Amino acid sequence: MKKYITLLALCLGQGLSGTVISLLTLTSALVGKSLAPTEILITFPITMTVLGAFSMIYHASLLMKKYGRRRAFIISGFIGIWDAILAIFALYYQHFILFLFATFILGSATIFNQFYRFAAAEVFDNEIWKKRSTSLVIGSGILGGILGHFLAGKGVNFISNHDLMGNFIFIIIIFSLLIFSQLFVFIEKEVLPPNSINLLSKKHIYRSPNFIIGTLSCTIGFSLMTLIMNSAPLSMHNNHYPISQNVFALQLHFIGMYAPALFIPFLIEKIKTYTLILFGSLCFIVGSISIFLLSPQHGYVTSLFFAGIGLALMFSGGTFYLNEINHGIKHKLQSVSSIFTYSGNLTFSFLAGFTLAFPNGWQWVNIIVMSISSLFFIYSLTKGHHHLKTYS
C-alpha cells in the first residue's frame, strides 16, 4: 500500500511544482513590466528564474543523495515558501532588485520538478511498474498546466491595490501542499559502501547506450518542443491570427504533451522503449512536414499537436533508459542529464526568437526541427535496437 501512496505523492509533487512554474512564467513578465526601470529589463525576472533553476540542478541531486528523495522535495518546498514571501515584500515595497533575487531563488526551488520522474522508478522493484510509475508521474504534469493558468488569472486582482501579489500567496499555498504531500513519500535512502565506485566504472556508465540515448532523447525532445511552442504563437501573432486560434492551438499542444503519458503505462508491456523514442521522433517530423502541405492555419495546429506528442514519447522513453541505470552515481548521472536537457531548453528558447526575426522564420523553424529529429531518428534506429543493460 505504501508504494501506491508514494506514487500518488510523487504525482502530486510533479503537478504542484509544475503549477508553480506555470504561475511564475505567467506572472514574472507582468511584474517586470510594472517594476523594471526600463523596457529592456521587463523579461529579466523570467531570466533570473531560469538561471536560478539551472544553478541548482547539480545541488538538487546532491541533496537527494545525502538526505533522500522525501527530505529533498520537502526542503524545496520550504525554499519556495521563503522566497515567495520575499517576492511579496518586493512587490509591496516596489523593489525590483529584491524581486529579481526572489525569482532567482524561486527558480532553484522549481528545478526539483525535474527529479520526480527519477524518484518514480524507485517506488517499485518490478521493471514494468517502474516504467508505469515514471510515465504516470510525467503525465501528472497536466495538473500544473491547468491549475497554473487558472490561478494566474485569479491572482492578478486577488488583493486590492496590490496587483499580482495574490499569485505569490497562491505559490505559498501550493508549496505548503507540496510539503504535505511529500510527507507520504516512502523511498528508502540508499546507503552505499565506501569506495564502491571506481573511476573506470564511472566512465563506463557515462559512455553507456542507456545514458547517451536517454539523455539525447530527453534533451532533443524538450528542445524541439520548446522551439515549436515558443515560435508558433509568435508567428501566428505576427500573421494577425485571432487570439482564439492561438489559444486553441496551444490547448491541443498541451493535450499532446501530457495525454500520451497517461496511456503509456497500459501499453508498456507491448511497446519497447526505443520504439517510443522512434515514434516520438517521427511525430516531430510529421508535424513539421505538415506546415508545407496544409493551409497555414492547420499547419500551426498540426505542428504544435505533434510536437506535444513527440515530447511525451521521447521524454518518457529517455527517462525509462536513464532509470534503468541502477548505479552508485545515479544521482549525479540524473543531474548531468538534466543539465543537458535544461541547456537545450535555454538554447532553443533563444533560437525561436532569433529564427523568427528572419523572413520565412516559421518555415525555417520547422526545417530545423525536421533536420534534427531525422538525424536522431536514424541514430536511435541504429543504436536503440541493441539490448540495453540495466547498469548496477
Side-chain angles (χ1 to χ4, degrees):
M1 191 63 172
K2 277 188 175 182
K3 293 181 183 295
Y4 296 102
I5 293 173
T6 298
L7 177 58
L8 178 60
L10 291 175
C11 287
L12 286 172
Q14 177 79 34
L16 291 170
S17 60
T19 301
V20 173
I21 293 171
S22 296
L23 263 174
L24 276 177
T25 302
L26 295 166
T27 304
S28 294
L30 295 175
V31 175
K33 193 172 183 179
S34 64
L35 293 185
T38 173
E39 287 190 6
I40 299 174
L41 299 177
I42 286 176
T43 59
F44 206 50
I46 297 176
T47 304
M48 292 300 289
T49 302
V50 173
L51 288 175
F54 190 78
S55 65
M56 188 64 179
I57 294 175
Y58 184 73
H59 302 289
S61 70
L62 290 181
L63 275 174
M64 291 181 192
K65 184 178 181 180
K66 185 174 182 179
Y67 299 111
R69 301 287 190 185
R70 175 170 57 182
R71 289 185 181 178
F73 290 142
I74 289 173
I75 288 170
S76 76
F78 280 112
I79 293 172
I81 289 173
W82 184 83
D83 283 288
I85 293 171
L86 195 62
I88 289 172
F89 273 102
L91 285 172
Y92 184 81
Y93 291 105
Q94 298 287 289
H95 200 292
F96 185 59
I97 301 299
L98 182 61
F99 184 75
L100 291 180
F101 179 71
T103 53
F104 178 84
I105 307 298
L106 272 170
S108 69
T110 62
I111 196 57
F112 286 81
N113 174 267
Q114 286 283 322
F115 291 90
Y116 286 97
R117 59 192 171 111
F118 295 128
E122 299 172 9
V123 179
F124 297 95
D125 298 323
N126 180 279
E127 286 300 319
I128 296 298
W129 268 101
K130 282 177 181 285
K131 292 180 179 180
R132 282 177 176 166
S133 59
T134 300
S135 192
L136 286 170
V137 168
I138 292 173
S140 64
I142 193 170
L143 174 66
I146 295 173
L147 189 59
H149 285 76
F150 173 77
L151 292 178
K154 297 292 183 182
V156 173
N157 300 311
F158 187 72
I159 299 177
S160 58
N161 302 321
H162 293 287
D163 292 347
L164 302 171
M165 192 179 289
N167 285 342
F168 291 93
I169 292 175
F170 289 155
I171 287 175
I172 292 173
I173 295 170
I174 293 165
F175 271 124
S176 299
L177 291 173
L178 185 147
I179 290 170
F180 179 74
S181 70
Q182 298 313 289
L183 293 173
F184 298 94
V185 170
F186 303 104
I187 299 176
E188 294 295 328
K189 179 178 172 291
E190 293 179 313
V191 180
L192 298 172
N195 303 319
S196 63
I197 307 164
N198 57 52
L199 185 60
L200 185 61
S201 176
K202 287 183 181 181
K203 289 182 178 179
H204 178 64
I205 297 298
Y206 279 115
R207 294 172 183 173
S208 69
N210 291 67
F211 181 75
I212 294 172
I213 296 178
T215 299
L216 280 176
S217 185
C218 291
T219 301
I220 292 173
F222 211 108
S223 300
L224 296 184
M225 183 279 298
T226 298
L227 182 58
I228 292 289
M229 185 181 69
N230 289 352
S231 301
L234 184 57
S235 178
M236 292 177 77
H237 176 76
N238 292 340
N239 286 289
H240 311 292
Y241 282 85
I243 190 67
S244 58
Q245 291 186 11
N246 209 321
V247 170
F248 174 70
L250 286 173
Q251 285 175 333
L252 278 181
H253 172 71
F254 184 74
I255 291 170
M257 279 177 63
Y258 292 110
L262 300 176
F263 293 103
I264 289 172
F266 304 101
L267 303 172
I268 208 67
E269 291 182 270
K270 300 178 181 178
I271 300 177
K272 293 182 178 179
T273 300
Y274 88 91
T275 306
L276 284 177
I277 293 173
L278 289 176
F279 272 115
S281 302
L282 280 176
C283 284
F284 278 110
I285 296 169
V286 170
S288 291
I289 288 175
S290 70
I291 75 150
F292 299 100
L293 302 176
L294 304 176
S295 65
Q297 178 183 345
H298 291 106
Y300 285 118
V301 173
T302 306
S303 181
L304 276 165
F305 181 63
F306 276 93
I309 297 175
L311 169 69
L313 298 180
M314 290 181 66
F315 203 72
S316 293
T319 304
F320 292 164
Y321 274 146
L322 292 170
N323 283 341
E324 287 174 6
I325 304 174
N326 185 24
H327 192 273
I329 59 168
K330 70 176 182 180
H331 291 285
K332 187 173 182 179
L333 290 168
Q334 290 166 5
S335 70
V336 171
S337 181
S338 295
I339 287 171
F340 276 107
T341 301
Y342 216 77
S343 298
N345 183 28
L346 286 173
T347 303
F348 279 74
S349 180
F350 169 77
L351 186 61
F354 177 79
T355 307
L356 288 179
F358 292 91
N360 301 315
W362 173 239
Q363 286 79 3
W364 279 109
V365 163
N366 284 275
I367 288 171
I368 292 170
V369 170
M370 274 191 291
S371 302
I372 295 175
S373 52
S374 297
L375 288 172
F376 181 68
F377 178 85
I378 295 169
Y379 174 80
S380 56
L381 189 64
T382 57
K383 298 289 186 180
H385 71 279
H386 297 297
H387 178 68
L388 301 192
K389 298 183 291 183
T390 300
Y391 290 88
S392 57

